[in-house]
Amino acid sequence: MDAVSVIVTIGGCFVDPIKKHCGYLIHYNSNIKDLIIKIQKLHDKRKGVQLEIAEAERNGRVMLPEVVTWIEKVRNILDEYVDETWIEEVRNIPDQDVVETWIEKVRNILDEDVEANKMSLGGWCPSYSLSRKAKKKTLEIDGLLSDAAPFVTRVSYPPPLGIGSSSIEGIMDFESRTKMRKEVLEALRTDKVNMIAICGMGGIGKTTMAKEVAKRAKDDKLFDEVVMVVVSQNQDLRSIQVHIAEMLGLQFVEDSLLARAERLRKRLMDSKSVLIILDDVWDALDLEAVGIPYGGQHNKCKILLTSRSEEACTQMKTQKIFPIKVLSEEEAWNLFREMAGNCIDTLGLHPIAKEVAKECGGLPVAIVTVGRALENKSEFEWRAALQQLENSIPKNIPGLDSKVYSSIELSYSYLKSDEAKSCFLLCCLYPEDSDIGIEFLVRYGVGQRLFAKIDTVAEARNRVHAIVKNLKRSFLLLDSEEGEMFVKMHDVVRDVAISIAENQGFLVRCNEKKEEWPEKDLCERSTAISLVSRELERHPDGLECPELELLLLEFKRRWQSLPPNLFKGMKGLKVLSLTYMSFPSLPQSINVLQNLRTLQFVDCEITDASAIGELRKLEILSFWGSKIKELPGEMRNLSYLKFLELTKCNYLVRIPPNLLSSLSHLEELCMFGVNSVDWEPVEGNKEEEGANASLTELMSLSYLVALKIQIPNIKVLPKDLAFKNDTIKFQIFSGDNKVIDEDKLKESFHCLFKNSLRLASCDVSDIAESQMLLQLFKKSEILKLKEIKGLKNIVYELDKEGFQCLKVLKVGDSDDVEYVMDATSDENPRAAFPILESLKVCRLNNLKEIYHSQFSKRSFSSACFSNLKSLCLKKCQHLKNVFSLSIARGLVQLQKLEIDDCDDMEECFHKEGEDEKALNDKIMFPQLTSIELGYLPKLIGFCTGVGPVELVQPSLNQEVGRISIDEVTNLEKHKMTNIQQHTSPFPESTPIISHKLFSSKTILWPPNLENLKLRGAKSLEAVFDLKGLKIDEDHQRIVVLAQLKTLEVNSSSKLGHVWKNVPRGIQGFQNLTSIEVRLCPLLRYLFPTSIAKLLVELQSIDINECHAIENIVQREGEEEATDIILFPRVSSLKLRMLPNIMSLCIKAYSFEWSSMKEICLYRCPKLKTIGSEIQSLRKSKEISRELDSRPNEQELGSPGFLRRCLECVPRRKNYGLMAVSDQGITNKSQRSYSVKEEGTLSKSKDSKVSDSDNPSEIWSLFPSHIIECLKNLELIVLVDLLSPEIIFQLEELNVEESHMAPILDQLRILNLRGLDNLMHIWKKGPERILGFGNMRFLNVDKCNSLTYLFLPSIAKLLVMLEEIEVTCCEKIEEILARAGEEEEEKNVLFHKVNRICLKGLPRLKYFCPETNAFEWPSLVEIIVDECPSLSTFIPSNLYTPKLEGVYDEEEVRFSWEEGGTRHWKGELNATIEHIFKGKEKQSNQETQPEEQI
């Protein structure tokens, strides 16, 4: 081998490794990007696996070990690199900004690796190390993603079922209801209470109260899960089990009650906390048989009953019963006024109305029904109603007050027509709490001929819906959670309705336990019978029911049959409805029903239905959800049939030829959910075996007015034929049901519908060949297109006339679409979409423009989309803007604008050149209330072509000039945009345009905007840049976004300002209630002061992961300081992961948090105080009602208060370097001083720190002047705050006689963790202090400078404290410290404390070193662990009657298991001494055996 070859060979050995390592440097950015994408995918995959796990656990299944291992590996990776919030917010945006953010995150993680590899390439090039580690992690994640493939098998999960809200709005705001709600919630919070009840007469509001309690419990996170189920008079344990399981996401595979109960019990026992509401309990319910843990079996499973019977509740061992009382006279009158309207204020009616209201007896149902019935009635009618109420003699209905009966009876009698009364009574035929289908009322009414002068089913339907609307308005019927096609009837109203209906021959027996028919004589004199039972074992034979017109039979146990002669004596029957029955062949006696007009089978099994052919007067025939394979040919005899329903007949495979065309009077055909019929392409005349009908048969039906059908593809539709009836209503689905819109399938069951076409998975050439489809396009009101191949221009390829009738258009997953409308052709003179209300465009990857035209040739462009109300664009990657200004000026009806995940979107509206210049001042969106913009990385503004352009030098990031838009052509603007987006550094001399969402011009376009959401707009530098805004015009004050209520800004990496260049004297934003800002790393403050003082309605502030933020409110320019009140209505303040925030404001502004309810501060290490960092010195003065500058509840909305908020008082300048001490304001060049009552300064002192020549500043998070204002604060959570040394500074509190109001008296929870410099939770205050009287939970963790929790002067205030938990505090020596010399020694009583946890406290010697805390009547549990210095609890004999033992952490983990041990030596001090001395002596030296409990 020669030398050259040797060198080449040796070189080859080095080239690949060198290439590989150099690749880490070359592909540095791409490796980081790949890692980001993979981590996002891994995060999503883990969520999918966790959903599978959650569903499996809900159903009691055990996890495979490989799944558990996979989850653990993924957790290690994700915990190392990202947190949950960040990965959720920043997705699908892997560009340079995100790379930079990630580099910083990853660099911190890899510091140790780089340090360890200083001698390697990574030692002198950190980028190499980062890139190499990223590549390695990417490969590791790839492997995990592959491993997870078998785990995730589903693409969706059903949402949890909700409970719904009460029907009578406002009633829960009454004092009597508010007080009771609070009492019920308080009982649910009590550990030892696991079953409570709300009891009262029918119609008093028990269910309404229970629903409100459920809502509040869920909102307050009192329970992880809340379940509500109606028990009713006829207890059906199986139905109760199923309903609870559905709300818990549990699926039963067992059939027996016992097995289901065991499964349900296990599911509930596994729940962390669950509230089960059992509504309308009449008799004691066997909870064990249902499977509900009770009586302490699961302390976190609580039960709330509602019942008319206290006896039933007592039998179930309910611990607390809350009797709900009638409304007070004032509350009843206020509700009655609301229902009856302003007519009662007239002079003649007022006294009568007062008497009528009194007759309602304070019962909500009575008040509502009577009030609505008499709304706007004459004085004569009011007097007649009063007389009827006074003379009413109701039947004896158990648990129903006579006032309620008479009020509902009165409402019934005041119904305007017999038709309305008949519809109302039909509703009582259904079981209690049923969802009643309005369509069934239509069918029964048609069958019984209830409606005068009605010839068609459609006319009857319209009449019934109008009647139902009026019945709901009278509160005789209620809305259903199932939607607008269903109603409900209150159980009390139903009781009265049945009582009234019995007088008209109704027989209603909806008792599912009943096994036989009612008495024969009752049946034979009835006009309507409704029987609902689990199963009837015995049926009558030879019933003679000559007057019977309506029969409803429903058997819950499926596939029951009927005797052959059942109908023999029912010759007058007009309506027959059968549910859950099995018919090998229909009963022979059905042939006698020659007057039958409505026949309905619901979920039945029918083998032979040929007997139906004998029912020649039949008008309505429904097989809804029934198992039938073939329609009988005998149905050709039903020439009077008007309505045929085959919805959800999944087994139907054959409709005989010529059957449909024989139904000559057919008006409506409903066939959704019928997928298996193999339609013939053309109409046939032969009866060959297996032959099917053709849709061509429908063309000959001259009465057909409504068609709802699902077909496999559009090729089965007749191509050239049209319906005989031009006004036909249609809903046609073509294609795979899942592809079309599976979640919207339910709406297809509605019988009041709009013309709809939904086409999926077809070619545009097939559409073009079908003249029928092209005609249907012209009439369609709803059009949904998905996966349409070859379609480029929706208008005019599908409808050359421009969809003149279309109201809803949804287009998705069609890669060939370039334009929604291409109007460049001269062939299309008409404006398209004149009445379109909703446009949704999703995943059109090649969409260029929505409206493509030449401005100069299109005079009608502003008429297009002129009725548009909702516009949604998602994942249209190449779309650069929504509309030009010529279109935008016509969008006067637009209410909602949503744009999401459009990579190239630069602006919402675009100026197309000089021709549109004149349109600038004509744009207005008066109806626009909601704007949501998400993940638009190139977005530079709402409309960049109008208003002044601000130029910024990128190197200095400052304004360098302002030019007119006329001087910037589109070409130049694009050049500047391209320059800005370039990844290389900018030259110092290259100016770029400042990007803002709203400019001073465009911010005026949506004057009624209420909600603004901005996510992932990574090119924007400001949300509102108001430079050049005129604050008045023609002497009229301009108000900016006065209706804006919620503002959310998220994941905007270049955002430096929310508000920028705010002019003096601006007005607006006064209705903003909520602001949330997350992941904006360049944002240094939130509000300029000129904006902050406007936000008088702001209620919630939430700021998360904005690393540059230093203050919430920032003084701007040379504006003079002013001692104004900021944010008087804020109730929630959440500041999380803000590493540089120091205070809320560095200048002298007041934060008087009189409305504050929760404060959560998390990882804000530099935060020193809640308030301003420099608080202005005020002279102390006696505060009275006349002089108090703080607003009270009534003043907040007054003009005077708003004027004070907007006042500007000159402030002192040149404060110098100042800081707030625990005593007041200090200058860092001076010593620490406090403000005395006389207004002089005194030296700051700290009782635990000796005085020195250079006292350090002591920061209190809640200074005394702030504490006095926090009257409604309920929750404080403080985590990882390094600056505060004191939480509550009490020394400067005003405790004059006139100011003895308790401080922080609504505070319930105080949670402190990771406050390393905290020395005092409460800094000693005046002896006469009152407050903290409602604190329930105190948790202190990892506060390593704290030596004690509280002094006796504070402890004596905590009269409601229930739990004390102190963990991992290195310097804690005592929980309750000794009283100071100046304090009077008093006994401290912890009457409510039931749990104490002390863990990881190495210096703890006592709970209390003095004998002043010896009574603990409620104490049940003490946990003591890792407290080696603890020798005794309190040096005194203690009273602990409920305490049964002391746990250490090791044993308490398993205390729920049978046989768990607790240490107990008969007395608390002895037990603690025994445990810890015993551990020191290895426990084998004990002389006395430990009692086992």
Side-chain angles (χ1 to χ4, degrees), residues 1368-1387:
C1368 302
C1369 297
E1370 295 176 356
K1371 294 184 180 180
I1372 282 274
E1373 297 178 2
E1374 52 204 17
I1375 305 301
L1376 176 60
R1378 295 177 185 272
E1381 294 180 2
E1382 67 281 7
E1383 280 192 80
E1384 180 183 350
E1385 185 171 332
K1386 294 182 179 179
N1387 289 336

Side-chain angles (χ1 to χ4, degrees), residues 1026-1038:
L1026 306 182
K1027 193 172 187 69
L1029 179 70
K1030 296 179 181 179
I1031 62 173
D1032 56 59
E1033 189 168 333
D1034 297 330
H1035 304 291
Q1036 295 291 322
R1037 199 70 142 169
I1038 295 177

Side-chain angles (χ1 to χ4, degrees), residues 596-789:
L596 194 67
R597 297 191 182 94
T598 296
L599 175 59
Q600 181 167 276
F601 299 97
V602 180
D603 286 316
C604 291
E605 185 179 42
I606 306 171
T607 304
D608 179 8
S610 57
I612 290 175
E614 299 298 321
L615 309 176
R616 297 177 183 269
K617 290 185 179 180
L618 207 57
E619 296 180 3
I620 293 179
L621 175 61
S622 171
F623 292 97
W624 198 96
S626 292
K627 189 176 180 181
I628 181 172
K629 294 183 178 181
E630 180 177 346
L631 294 186
E634 288 79 0
M635 281 179 56
R636 297 187 183 96
N637 299 329
L638 305 181
S639 57
Y640 292 101
L641 193 67
K642 296 180 178 180
F643 180 91
L644 175 60
E645 179 173 53
L646 301 169
T647 301
K648 290 186 69 176
C649 291
N650 300 321
Y651 292 88
L652 185 65
V653 295
R654 183 171 182 262
I655 300 174
N658 303 321
L659 189 152
L660 295 177
S661 58
S662 299
L663 306 177
S664 56
H665 283 80
L666 190 66
E667 298 173 5
E668 302 186 11
L669 174 62
C670 301
M671 289 187 64
F672 274 120
V674 180
N675 302 313
S676 303
V677 175
D678 187 12
W679 297 95
E680 298 291 343
V682 295
E683 187 174 1
N685 297 316
K686 52 185 179 180
E687 278 280 358
E688 61 184 50
E689 182 112 12
N692 244 313
S694 167
L695 291 177
T696 308
E697 295 181 33
L698 301 177
M699 304 300 106
S700 62
L701 300 177
S702 56
Y703 289 95
L704 190 65
V705 295
L707 173 65
K708 298 171 63 174
I709 192 168
Q710 181 178 338
I711 57 178
N713 57 72
I714 61 174
K715 294 181 180 180
V716 303
L717 287 172
K719 291 185 178 180
D720 301 320
L721 296 177
F723 293 106
K724 281 198 172 183
N725 187 348
D726 288 338
T727 61
I728 187 171
K729 303 286 287 183
F730 58 87
Q731 279 191 337
I732 299 175
F733 283 12
S734 171
D736 183 2
N737 198 35
K738 291 183 179 178
V739 174
I740 292 169
D741 225 347
E742 191 173 34
D743 61 331
K744 296 294 183 182
L745 185 60
K746 188 175 180 180
E747 81 176 36
S748 66
F749 301 144
H750 293 188
C751 289
L752 286 176
F753 57 84
K754 297 177 180 178
N755 288 342
S756 306
L757 273 178
R758 297 178 184 175
L759 309 181
S761 305
C762 62
D763 196 291
V764 71
S765 60
D766 292 328
I767 297 175
E769 292 176 3
S770 174
Q771 291 300 313
M772 179 182 180
L773 264 183
L774 295 177
Q775 289 301 312
L776 294 179
F777 279 137
K778 299 180 188 302
K779 300 175 182 179
S780 292
E781 297 172 82
I782 299 174
L783 176 61
K784 297 191 177 183
L785 306 171
K786 196 165 187 178
E787 297 180 3
I788 310 298
K789 295 180 181 179

